[in-house]
């Protein structure tokens, strides 16, 4: 939704809504706590932190590569298609 906004107010509302509705970390911690025991709990939480960091790096990188598809990938998209 954030990428389709046309005004600053729309962008702020979209970011606010996604922030309020994002409860992934709580669900992940609860699930890890339920499926692990004392012997592997620390390792599981470490993997969660590692994947969160990797997503923070690779997510914007992928988004940047996919921005302006008509300019960056002219063999896939025609000038008036998007």
């Amino acid at each position: 939704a954030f990428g389709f906004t046309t005004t600053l107010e729309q962008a702020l509302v979209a970011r606010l809504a996604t922030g309020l509705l994002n409860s992934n970390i709580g669900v992940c911690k609860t699930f890890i706590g339920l499926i692990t025991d004392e012997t592997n709990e620390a390792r599981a939480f470490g993997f969660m932190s590692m994947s969160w960091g990797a997503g923070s790096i690779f997510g914007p990188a992928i988004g940047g590569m996919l921005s302006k598809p008509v300019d960056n990938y002219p063999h896939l998209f025609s000038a008036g298609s998007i």
Side-chain angles (χ1 to χ4, degrees):
F2 183 77
F4 295 107
T5 59
T6 56
T7 65
L8 178 61
E9 291 81 14
Q10 288 175 345
L12 292 174
V13 169
R15 286 293 291 165
L16 177 70
T18 55
L20 289 174
L21 298 173
N22 185 7
S23 59
N24 293 339
I25 193 70
V27 173
C28 288
K29 286 183 178 182
T30 302
F31 186 69
I32 288 174
L34 291 173
I35 65 170
T36 59
D37 57 11
E38 294 82 21
T39 62
N40 59 2
E41 190 174 60
R43 187 173 184 175
F45 278 105
F47 280 127
M48 184 188 66
S49 298
M50 181 184 67
S51 64
W52 194 276
S56 297
I57 293 170
F58 293 118
I62 293 169
M65 287 189 300
L66 295 176
S67 67
K68 298 184 180 179
V70 174
D71 296 335
N72 294 332
Y73 308 103
H75 58 286
L76 296 175
F77 301 98
S78 62
S81 65
I82 298 179

